Amino acid sequence: MARLSTSSRRKLTSILLAVAIFVSLAMLTASVLGRPVINGLLNAIIVGTGVGFFEEFYVQSRRGRWLRSMHPLKSILIYALVVVALFLLSIILIRLILWDWNSLPWIYRHFPIVLPIMITFSVVGIVVMRVAHFIGVETLFHLTIGTYHRPVVEKKVLMFLDINDSTALAERLGAIEMKSFLGKFLFDISAPITNNGGDIYLYKGDGLIALWP
């Protein structure tokens, strides 16, 4: 872990956080459906880890820019196909691990019910990963417990970063091209900040505010 960049460590932390949510929801669902908890646990770990790595190391990379720029409905469809593939893989792996092939008929019969549940878990996990990835797990933790709902004195280094002469640039590029340009700029500039121990405190207009301890 020490050899990994700060950005990679944060991605792995986001994946672990999302998998923990997958596991909690899957165990609850398994108990409601009357299924063995161990099956739901293993299924959540496999699917959650697969979705996490796909999101953090492909979608949120430069190679995944085509997917991020796609219409949300189309990207959801692609995600659904990824979840289906991971779910089918997890079914086989779980049966190999537990050597329990008798429950396959139950899975096939309830596939129309189980699959939407896994897709819903994936959406929740993806939202958590994206929030944790962009604002940092520590900041997400403080927001969750309400640290910043009351006065807190902290020593921080702030960096205000924006694009020089962005108004003229927007007039030259047009609204649509400028929006695409801003998205690429903010995405590319976030990695050097987080790799050097910073947190993105706020995205605002044509720039951002970064924090360091």
Side-chain angles (χ1 to χ4, degrees):
M1 289 293 291
R3 296 180 181 179
L4 295 175
S5 65
T6 303
S7 179
S8 296
R9 290 199 300 269
R10 288 186 177 184
K11 288 181 178 181
L12 292 175
T13 303
S14 301
I15 293 172
L16 292 175
L17 181 61
V19 170
I21 293 176
F22 266 77
V23 169
S24 301
L25 295 175
M27 291 178 68
L28 178 62
T29 304
S31 62
V32 171
L33 294 176
R35 301 301 299 167
V37 175
I38 185 63
N39 289 33
L41 177 64
L42 292 175
N43 195 289
I45 292 175
I46 295 171
V47 177
T49 303
V51 170
F53 273 87
F54 178 71
E55 169 68 20
E56 291 291 351
F57 290 98
Y58 183 78
V59 177
Q60 295 301 326
S61 68
R62 294 192 177 186
R63 290 174 295 178
R65 182 169 286 168
W66 65 275
L67 186 58
R68 296 196 309 273
S69 61
M70 187 180 295
H71 191 279
L73 293 179
K74 293 182 179 179
S75 64
I76 290 174
L77 178 60
I78 293 177
Y79 254 112
L81 295 175
V82 172
V83 172
V84 170
L86 290 172
F87 182 63
L88 293 174
L89 177 63
S90 70
I91 291 175
I92 302 301
L93 289 178
I94 290 172
R95 270 66 205 171
L96 288 174
I97 294 172
L98 301 177
W99 202 252
D100 177 21
W101 302 94
N102 295 326
S103 59
L104 275 180
W106 186 94
I107 293 291
Y108 292 145
R109 286 198 307 269
H110 293 81
F111 201 76
I113 300 175
V114 176
L115 186 59
I117 293 176
M118 291 305 302
I119 293 176
T120 302
F121 290 176
S122 301
V123 171
V124 174
I126 291 164
V127 170
V128 172
M129 282 187 292
R130 290 188 177 181
V131 173
H133 174 67
F134 284 111
I135 72 174
V137 175
E138 182 181 355
T139 303
L140 178 61
F141 172 76
H142 287 302
L143 289 174
T144 302
I145 65 174
T147 301
Y148 301 122
H149 295 172
R150 56 190 181 275
V152 176
V153 178
E154 295 181 335
K155 291 184 178 181
K156 298 281 187 179
V157 176
L158 276 74
M159 180 179 72
F160 299 88
L161 177 68
D162 64 357
I163 298 176
N164 187 40
D165 202 16
S166 60
T167 302
L169 183 62
E171 292 176 351
R172 186 166 69 252
L173 295 177
I176 296 178
E177 288 296 327
M178 185 61 182
K179 184 177 182 301
S180 176
F181 175 78
L182 284 176
K184 294 176 182 177
F185 165 73
L186 293 175
F187 181 84
D188 290 340
I189 202 64
S190 296
I193 292 173
T194 56
N195 281 337
N196 287 279
D199 286 310
I200 306 299
Y201 174 71
L202 179 68
Y203 290 98
K204 187 173 180 64
D206 62 341
L208 55 81
I209 300 175
L211 296 176
W212 279 266

